[in-house]
């Protein structure tokens, strides 16, 4: 037998074909929207676009890792909103922004631990368990400041530094928020590809019973996945808070869908056990480009949601067909 060429070996990497397809979609969408509106390819719009990808990429990383375990996290949007409200409320009440961020991270990680406990320990269906924490976290986001949005976090040096770090500051044309997001992606991409924890996450998503018999601590691994998701949602909340300069009780609404969209468009299977985090970059980019391009094209919000919803359903359907070996004619391979 002839050895496979380097490119064929590259394509043979599980999930790589889906990743390349997603990146091809990014290129195609950028070309289409550039022809539809010349302002799309302007320097100002592209800089804004890269910054707008950050929260989608962050929640996509967390949701993607949870999906690889064969579960789902419906609480990410509410954790994002809770994060934005906790950090903004503390800063507005004179708490040192660094302390506020630490408290915020601890609170969000507690949600990840609870999700891991409910799903990994007590075997609640992930849809039900995380639906419960989603509701609780949204309630906390509303009561943390007495059912009001916060005021402006102010212009104190550290408060300004937070806004610069997570949103407004930049080096040349690259925003600090983009750099922070890519650093987080690099850390979790390394964990997923080069550590025992990453191997265990893929293992329980492929076959949870076989993983358990192989000595994998399913409860611990599931909890780690949910904690990663909560942490990513927390940082996305800080990005949202920094952008607005305040905390909004409505922050993070529909981000459950955004996280799933970024993951599945990027080739991560909702059935668990497969997918690459590099694909989430493409998935989040597709989502942000669609939002940006359709807005510039004056497409109504309702129609935007319909288009993006169709794309998400199509990606999940294609993944299920691929996993089941079904061709478009309806026959198995």
């Amino acid at each position: 037998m002839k050895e496979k060429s380097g490119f064929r070996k590259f394509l043979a990497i599980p999930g790589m074909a889906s990743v390349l397809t997603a990146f091809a979609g990014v290129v195609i969408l950028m070309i289409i929207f550039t022809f539809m509106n010349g302002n799309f390819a302007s320097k100002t719009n592209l800089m804004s676009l890269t910054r707008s990808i950050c929260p989608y990429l962050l929640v996509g990383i967390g949701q993607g890792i949870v999906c690889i375990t064969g579960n789902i996290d419906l609480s990410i949007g509410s954790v994002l909103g809770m994060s934005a409200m906790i950090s903004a409320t503390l800063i507005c009440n004179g708490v040192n922004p660094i302390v506020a961020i630490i408290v915020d991270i601890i609170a969000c990680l507690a949600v990840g631990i609870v999700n891991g406990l409910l799903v990994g320990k007590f075997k609640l269906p992930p849809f039900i368990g995380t639906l419960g924490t989603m509701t609780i976290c949204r309630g906390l986001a509303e009561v943390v400041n007495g059912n009001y949005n916060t005021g402006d976090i102010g212009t104190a040096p550290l408060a300004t530094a937070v806004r610069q770090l997570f949103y407004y500051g930049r080096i040349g044309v690259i925003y600090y928020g983009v750099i922070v997001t890519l650093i987080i992606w690099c850390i979790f991409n390394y964990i997923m590809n080069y550590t025992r924890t990453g191997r265990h996450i893929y293992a329980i998503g492929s076959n949870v019973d076989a993983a358990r018999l192989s000595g994998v601590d399913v409860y611990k691994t599931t909890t780690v996945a949910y904690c990663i998701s909560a942490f990513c949602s927390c940082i996305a909340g800080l990005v949202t808070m920094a952008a607005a300069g305040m905390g909004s009780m409505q922050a993070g609404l529909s981000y459950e869908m955004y996280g799933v969209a970024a993951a599945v468009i990027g080739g991560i299977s909702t059935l668990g056990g497969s997918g690459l985090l590099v694909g989430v970059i493409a998935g989040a980019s597709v989502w942000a480009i669609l939002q940006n391009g359709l807005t510039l094209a004056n497409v109504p919000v309702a129609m935007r949601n319909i288009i993006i919803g169709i794309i998400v359903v199509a990606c999940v359907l294609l993944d299920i067909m691929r996993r089941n070996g079904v061709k478009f004619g309806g026959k198995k391979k």
Side-chain angles (χ1 to χ4, degrees), residues 225-239:
Y226 275 113
C227 283
I228 291 173
S229 179
F231 173 79
C232 290
S233 297
C234 176
I235 302 302
L238 292 172
V239 170

Side-chain angles (χ1 to χ4, degrees), residues 90-114:
L90 291 175
I91 293 172
C92 286
N93 282 280
V95 176
N96 184 301
I98 296 175
V99 175
I101 290 173
I102 292 173
V103 171
D104 194 19
I105 292 173
I106 292 172
C108 291
L109 287 177
V111 178
I113 292 171
V114 171

Side-chain angles (χ1 to χ4, degrees), residues 312-322:
V312 173
V313 171
C315 287
V316 174
L317 181 60
L318 288 172
D319 172 58
I320 292 173
M321 291 173 67
R322 179 182 60 81

Side-chain angles (χ1 to χ4, degrees), residues 145-183:
N145 195 48
N147 288 312
Y148 289 99
N149 295 333
T150 72
D152 194 293
I153 63 174
T155 57
L158 283 176
T160 300
V162 168
R163 299 194 71 185
Q164 291 292 311
L165 175 63
F166 289 107
Y167 198 76
Y168 289 102
R170 60 189 173 97
I171 302 174
V173 297
I174 303 176
Y175 286 99
Y176 292 145
V178 176
I179 296 173
V180 170
T181 301
L182 289 177
I183 289 172

Side-chain angles (χ1 to χ4, degrees), residues 187-260:
I187 291 171
F188 291 124
N189 186 62
Y190 177 85
I191 289 173
M192 292 299 292
N193 289 304
Y194 301 106
T195 68
R196 179 182 297 179
T197 298
R199 291 192 294 273
H200 287 179
I201 287 173
Y202 278 104
I204 67 173
S206 297
N207 189 319
V208 65
D209 293 325
R212 186 180 289 109
L213 291 173
S214 298
V216 174
D217 189 330
V218 174
Y219 164 50
K220 177 182 176 182
T221 305
T222 301
T223 302
V224 167
Y226 275 113
C227 283
I228 291 173
S229 179
F231 173 79
C232 290
S233 297
C234 176
I235 302 302
L238 292 172
V239 170
T240 303
M241 183 272 292
M246 59 175 286
S248 170
M249 294 185 294
Q250 304 304 310
L253 288 177
S254 298
Y255 268 73
E256 305 82 20
M257 180 173 64
Y258 298 167
V260 172

